[in-house]
Amino acid sequence: MSIDTSTVEAAPVILSARNIEKRFGAVQALKEVNFDIYRGQVTTLFGENGAGKSTLMKILSGVIAQTAGEIVLEGESVSFSSPSEAEALGITIIHQELSLAPNLNVRDNIFMGRELTKGRGSVDYKEEARQAELLMEELDEPIHPLTLVEDLRVGQQQIVEIARALSKNSRILIMDEPTSALSATEVETLFKVVQDLKNKGVSIVYISHHLEEALQITDHAVVLRDGAMTAYAPRSDIDLQWIVRHMVGESFDLGSPPTGYEQGSTALSIQNLYISDDKVAGRYVVEDLSLDVRAGEIVCIYGLMGAGRTELLECVAGRTRQSSGDILLNSTDVSHYNIAQRIERGLVLVPEDRQRDGLVPTLSVGRNLSLASIHAFTRKGLTSSSLEAEMINSAIDKVHIKTDGGEAAIGSLSGGNQQKVVIGKMLATHPDVIILDEPSRGIDVGAKAEVFKLLSQGARRGLAVVFTTSEVSECLSIPHRVLVMSKGRISAEFKPGVTKDEIMAASGESVAA
Amino acid sequence: MTMSHHNNNALQVEKGSIDIVKILLEGRAFFALIVIIIVFSMLSPVYFSTGNFLTMSSHVAVFGLLGIGMLFVILTGGIDLSVGSTLALCGVFAGMLLEGVEIEALDLAFFPSVWVVVVLTCLLGGLVGAINGVLVAYFKVPAFVATLGMLYVARGAALLLTDGLTFNSLSGDPALGNTGFEWLGFNKLFGIPVGVLILFCAAVICMLALSRTPFGRWIYSTGGNARAAELSGVPVNRVKLSVYIISGVCAAMAGIVLASQLTSAGPTAGTTYELTAIAAVVIGGASLMGGRGTVRNTLLGAFVIGFLADGLVIIGVSAYWQMVFTGSVIVFAVMLNNVQYSAKRKSSQQAEKTAEIKREGSRASAT
């Protein structure tokens, strides 16, 4: 996407943040943040988890108030004490977790809380439906206003949420990680909508962990680190390296395939695996897939949403059963083992969604870490707290979890550290094979590098590692072998020297310009 | 470095003031019990006496047993509405066995001894629980619905078993060797009613099971996040089945203790006791969403309800007002639960910030 620098310079500033500071008790979450939002352009906030992006967003959208500094909206200093006050001034935030009611239709969601009435308090459904239809057409997503939101794909739901914001005459739209749950085509649609919004003069503040994607769409970049703004520049002046450099403060590398040791024999062997689609009878989400992974080898599976990666990994871990084919672990057929038996045999899964499938929020950090290996510290039927503490401490140490100790609440950790807890839990079972579904999802670049380092270390000790990713840059980091998965099959296999374009072409993805 | 010292001190001070609130919140069932005892002792001279405490405790024994069973179920995020009916069914089953089982075809009559009756009754309770458990764990029937169905079925079965009548002759016959049933409800061992001792034995075993065995850990993780637990190798369905069985067995024991205390076993015994049991668990601070709660606090909850109810009787408050009071206490307890959990969230956020400061501090000192 080419950007005309002259228009960037010419666009008027609609909102300026001036010396914004935020303190929580003794903690300074934001210090002297200054930046401008231009009319009809996209400003992206970059930063690791905990850099202060969300805090800044919450201040701009009225969820919390700043400790010092001012917000200047079209030349006037404004302050708002609630999100509805911010909305009245035309600033709307769309959170990562959408705030739609799935049981209601598109029309009712768009007008939720602001129902149009025709005298006497009865709702004017007709007028609502007309306006809803108009809005959806404007956004090039002609969804019928009476469609239930739960029947829509996540991408479509997002557009409904945008329609709702537009119906409130929002001039500034804040989007927090809007693409994290979208497929590649849905991202494309969303970006088209964003382009439309820009043409209409709507300004957008965009937050994403997906740096490459954000670079496609943004006009300005603001980079935060440890609560301070480290850089600010228009799109034409920057590239990926520039962002990463300012985010982490140092030159940065996801690592390279570990070498200098012999890989062992085949640890995991998947043979002619078929997994049926539970939504469409007679269709397969994974078809005739075979894969051998040797001890000490790191294999990366790249693929788009819907390629069948998650289904494959969940089947290998034992959550679902294959329709046919075999799964061999160290030459033993484990097809008929349940999850617990596979863990015991040395095959473990780190699931994609750590909140939903990885962590038990009511247990402490330590008890989450020890959950998969309780029997290791059980003596005569009773758990030994000293043995358990020993195990927890060594796990915290081994996977470098930043925490106050095993007793800390799991919710007190950052996303990256939570991910390390899930990985640490599985590594504590002393597995031979670890499979990880999108291990870098929703964690910052620094934590990502640490996770990859852990996996390399594991591989050196003879661990077979399989991980999936939807970021091409990760395929070029530690894996010894890159497989591309598309429509339930492995469509290509590459060695480390491969280029990004080759991988993306094999996945059926159009190469982004 | 001095900077971070200063910060730590500030946090320490803040922490100190939070701690008192935290102690009051976390020990609220205990403090409520103390308040109840003090208030009623002032209102009535009879309340504060060993005799009265023992009487009240034997009332609590029934609710306590039900509450402990209920706790297991609630910890997994389920609910068991059938315990009141199970209690009645098991009570009349025990009564029937004590009066003797006649098998007409063989022209035989069995008079099982008391311990056989107790074991068989507990087995029946376990069976009822197992049906609940299979429905919930394997047929994925919502716990509320499955156990609501069982509430009716078990009550109906109890009525069918007795034709709606009550068994009154539970004392047995020395000649038949089945005496001693009253001992369970009436007698004292070391000055303590046997029912209360049964409660404490059950409590100690359950406490140990929850806090020191893999099974206990499985229960807490299943209730906290069943999907994550399953992927960590926890046999989630077996855990769910087990907790309903435990709840059924606890209901059976409560049924035996109650029948023994009343020296009669009626099919309408224990109506709405399931709600009292849930109340005991909730007052004890357990979360109905699962994953949080302890045996000790559930016992305290049962004592709060029992001592409050008996106190109101002793000072002569009408039964109608008793219901109003009990209901208010339950709602107030749940309200405090929310306060506690939101306070926990805040303090964990505080902890996160502290960790951040420490990180920054170490980073600063490293450079």
Side-chain angles (χ1 to χ4, degrees), chain A residues 468-487:
Chain A
T468 66
T469 181
S470 46
E471 285 192 44
V472 190
S473 56
E474 292 177 15
C475 301
L476 310 178
S477 59
I478 54 166
H480 297 113
R481 201 147 48 106
V482 179
L483 304 176
V484 178
M485 204 168 161
S486 168
K487 295 186 183 118

Side-chain angles (χ1 to χ4, degrees), chain B residues 79-126:
Chain B
I79 195 97
D80 188 350
L81 297 176
S82 69
V83 292
S85 301
T86 309
L87 174 149
L89 176 63
C90 292
V92 296
F93 179 71
M96 196 184 71
L97 292 179
L98 284 166
E99 291 203 342
V101 189
E102 286 177 43
I103 301 172
E104 282 172 23
L106 298 169
D107 202 17
L108 270 175
F110 284 114
F111 294 92
S113 58
V114 168
W115 72 267
V116 176
V117 171
V118 168
V119 169
L120 287 176
T121 307
C122 287
L123 280 178
L124 176 66

Side-chain angles (χ1 to χ4, degrees), chain A residues 24 26-27 29 31 50 226 314 317 319 339-340 343 349 351 354-363 367 370-372 374-375 377-378 381-385 388 402 404 409 411-414 417 425-426, chain B residues 3 7 10-11 14 208 210-215 217-218 220-235 238 290-292 344 348-360 363:
Chain A
F24 293 103
V27 180
K31 36 202 157 198
D226 293 335
E314 291 199 338
R319 167 171 270 172
I339 298 173
I343 292 174
L349 167 71
R354 63 176 169 274
Q355 298 300 344
R356 198 185 58 178
D357 297 327
L359 297 168
V360 180
T362 50
L363 296 181
R367 295 204 160 183
S370 67
L371 183 60
I374 300 173
H375 288 293
F377 53 88
T378 301
L382 295 183
T383 53
S384 150
S385 36
E388 182 180 10
K402 285 173 196 142
D404 284 350
S412 70
L413 301 186
S414 65
N417 278 303
K425 168 176 77 177
M426 286 351 271
Chain B
M3 177 65 187
N7 284 344
L11 283 173
E14 230 169 278
L208 206 62
L210 280 181
S211 62
R212 290 293 309 278
T213 65
F215 177 62
R217 203 63 71 80
W218 291 346
Y220 281 107
S221 57
T222 301
N225 184 351
R227 294 176 64 103
E230 192 188 9
L231 279 180
S232 302
V234 174
R238 250 169 48 214
R292 293 181 212 272
K344 240 182 206 165
S348 71
Q349 274 165 15
Q350 193 71 44
E352 185 184 2
K353 297 293 176 198
T354 321
E356 236 163 66
I357 288 177
K358 276 186 192 161
R359 277 206 292 282
E360 265 167 39
R363 208 177 289 163

Side-chain angles (χ1 to χ4, degrees), chain B residues 298-312:
Chain B
T298 298
L299 278 188
L300 281 171
F303 273 96
V304 165
I305 290 183
F307 278 29
L308 176 71
D310 284 2
L312 291 169

